[in-house]
Amino acid sequence: MTGGNGIAARLRTITERVLSGSATVFVLLGLILVVISVLNPKFLEPGSLMLFIKKAAPLVLLAIGQYFVIVSGEFDLSVGSLVGAQVVIAALLINGVESATVPVILGMFVGGALIGLVNGLVTTLLKVPSIIATLGMMLVLYGAIRWLTGGAPTGALSESFRVAGRQGIDGVPVIGQIPWALLIMVALGIGAGFLMRSSWGRTLVAVGDNERAATFAGARAWWVKTSAFILSGLLATAAGILLGGYAGVTAQVGQGLEFTAITAVVLGGVVLGGGRGWVVAAMAGALTVEALFRLFTQLNLPSTIRPTAQGLIIIAAVAYAAVDRARRQRTPTTIGTPRHSDVAS
């Protein structure tokens, strides 16, 4: 392919994405931010925006991990309980001792990878549906949290543990501070983008699109899916470190985050059932959900309305995807959400 043709193909891909279902989330995010800024002009001040990013960053990381799993055709319902268990156990082990911070963080990542590995192997080798396997893991971890804390966590996180979630690079002109959470979120987002451009990413989406065909083509479907679960566990661990640093330790930390992350991914146009979606749109979906909750707060709506809003978002997004899929079947050449052939391009 010549340079001119390559640029034209790239522009065509970008245009398709702008016109696709994934682009809807960017429009929605923009509209919500505009409404929030109209209701509260101070929201656009750098300090307020950075605070919003700090709070949204853990959900964005969870959405990236959930994207890997969902685009492969599976679910991971254990990430919320994993975040809660990681934070509670970290506080118990560190108990305010600075020298224990690094070993505990390393242990958290090992634990997150092991939980992901178990989820993946139970799903791929034992053929247990992932929604059941990860629901069981969610209950196991939730029970562990209750057993360890009795409803009241003990111990304390060290100040160095909380740096990533609370602090940043100070003294930046205009902005004042660039949060570490923002830098971590951007770095992992770029990493996820490059990963989806690799052969692993293309195989992951191909397996989600048609596992049997991908297997006949030589893909190791069981390992690709298992590695997606492992990445989900690692990203949930990173989210737990940010969340623990930002919000502190409670028995409820992480509660319900699995459904919020799924809501974000679906809102980003990632199709439940796998094979179609864009990781950047999933990240935008997380920001949109967080902005929507911020709007609810701005409108003084009760926090109990959030589950209802999440449910409506999932129903609307799935219905939209079904309509879009029917439209594609009627007009095969219609532009739409990226599939495995172009999602990583």
Side-chain angles (χ1 to χ4, degrees):
M1 178 180 292
T2 65
N5 289 337
I7 294 173
R10 179 70 62 183
L11 290 174
R12 187 166 56 251
T13 300
I14 293 173
T15 303
E16 289 174 354
R17 285 176 176 172
V18 169
L19 295 175
S20 72
S22 295
T24 307
V25 69
F26 296 99
V27 176
L28 184 59
L29 176 61
L31 288 175
I32 294 174
L33 292 179
V34 167
V35 174
I36 294 174
S37 61
V38 169
L39 294 173
N40 179 19
K42 289 186 178 179
F43 176 75
L44 295 179
E45 294 179 358
S48 181
L49 283 175
M50 292 301 106
L51 193 62
F52 171 76
I53 293 294
K54 279 184 186 178
K55 190 175 181 185
L59 180 59
V60 173
L61 300 191
L62 286 174
I64 295 173
Q66 199 69 250
Y67 165 82
F68 288 138
V69 176
I70 289 179
V71 86
S72 74
E74 305 294 345
F75 286 96
D76 188 352
L77 298 181
S78 67
V79 291
S81 292
L82 177 58
V83 167
Q86 296 263 32
V87 173
V88 168
I89 293 173
L92 194 64
L93 295 176
I94 294 176
N95 199 22
V97 179
E98 292 290 341
S99 59
T101 303
V102 172
V104 168
I105 288 178
L106 293 176
M108 289 172 67
F109 278 109
V110 172
L114 286 175
I115 294 295
L117 178 64
V118 171
N119 284 335
L121 293 179
V122 170
T123 299
T124 57
L125 296 186
L126 299 183
K127 304 299 181 184
V128 176
S130 59
I131 196 167
I132 301 299
T134 56
L135 176 64
M137 183 61 76
M138 179 182 78
L139 294 174
V140 168
L141 294 171
Y142 179 72
I145 295 172
R146 300 289 296 178
W147 177 69
L148 284 170
T149 66
T154 57
L157 298 173
S158 61
E159 285 303 315
S160 53
F161 186 98
R162 309 189 76 163
V163 166
R166 284 194 170 186
Q167 299 181 19
I169 302 174
D170 295 316
V172 178
V174 182
I175 298 175
Q177 182 192 77
I178 298 178
W180 291 117
L182 171 61
L183 298 176
I184 292 170
M185 182 182 78
V186 171
L188 291 179
I190 292 174
F194 277 107
L195 194 56
M196 292 309 297
R197 291 169 60 93
S198 69
S199 59
W200 179 88
R202 294 178 186 277
T203 304
L204 181 73
V205 183
V207 167
D209 188 35
N210 190 327
E211 182 174 347
R212 178 171 295 184
T215 302
F216 284 150
R220 299 170 67 196
W222 73 272
W223 172 244
V224 172
K225 284 191 174 186
T226 300
S227 57
F229 279 103
I230 293 173
L231 286 174
S232 178
L234 291 172
L235 285 160
T237 302
I241 293 171
L242 293 185
L243 192 60
Y246 178 81
V249 183
T250 67
Q252 290 74 37
V253 65
Q255 191 171 347
L257 278 179
E258 61 280 344
F259 295 113
T260 308
I262 290 173
T263 303
V265 172
V266 171
L267 192 59
V270 181
V271 175
L272 296 178
R276 189 177 299 166
W278 189 19
V279 65
V280 176
M283 295 171 67
L287 293 174
T288 304
V289 170
E290 195 62 45
L292 190 62
F293 291 160
R294 176 66 178 264
L295 179 61
F296 290 166
T297 302
Q298 206 73 51
L299 295 172
N300 292 320
L301 295 177
S303 60
T304 48
I305 199 174
R306 292 186 177 189
T308 303
Q310 289 178 221
L312 290 174
I313 289 171
I314 291 176
I315 292 171
V318 172
Y320 179 85
V323 172
D324 183 57
R325 186 164 54 248
R327 181 173 60 85
R328 288 167 182 277
Q329 290 172 349
R330 290 194 299 271
T331 55
T333 57
T334 302
I335 292 170
T337 309
R339 294 178 64 83
H340 68 85
S341 59
D342 57 10
V343 68
S345 61

